[in-house]
Amino acid sequence: FPVTITTASWSGPTSGVYSKVITDANILATSIVDVIPDNSAYSVITTAQLRPRTDSAAGQVTIYATSIPSASFTCTLNIINT
């Protein structure tokens, strides 16, 4: 399902990388979460250098970028519960 990633509430940088937590009650401690940016966000995510790594925990997934995105963008979360 789609989720909007805003420019607010990014943490860091830690070791040159910013992070943002996305919350969703459907994410379990054992879930694998794919965060797929919409094609319309290409320039925003490439400028921010959105990283491919995600870290999941119960109720949330964390994404990473080299810089805070300059605008909000839409992503699809694919939640695979194992």
Side-chain angles (χ1 to χ4, degrees):
F1 64 91
V3 61
T4 299
I5 309 300
T6 67
T7 58
S9 301
W10 285 80
S11 298
T14 302
S15 300
V17 178
Y18 291 88
S19 62
K20 181 169 178 83
V21 174
I22 303 165
T23 58
D24 186 297
N26 295 312
I27 300 172
L28 306 177
T30 57
S31 294
I32 298 169
V33 182
D34 294 327
V35 180
I36 306 166
D38 190 78
N39 286 340
S40 66
Y42 180 77
S43 64
V44 172
I45 64 168
T46 56
T47 300
Q49 296 181 15
L50 192 68
R51 303 287 180 99
R53 177 180 174 162
T54 62
D55 291 315
S56 303
Q60 67 183 38
V61 61
T62 303
I63 61 173
Y64 302 93
T66 301
S67 61
I68 296 172
S70 60
S72 298
F73 60 95
T74 302
C75 288
T76 297
L77 296 184
N78 286 343
I79 302 168
I80 303 159
N81 291 322
T82 60

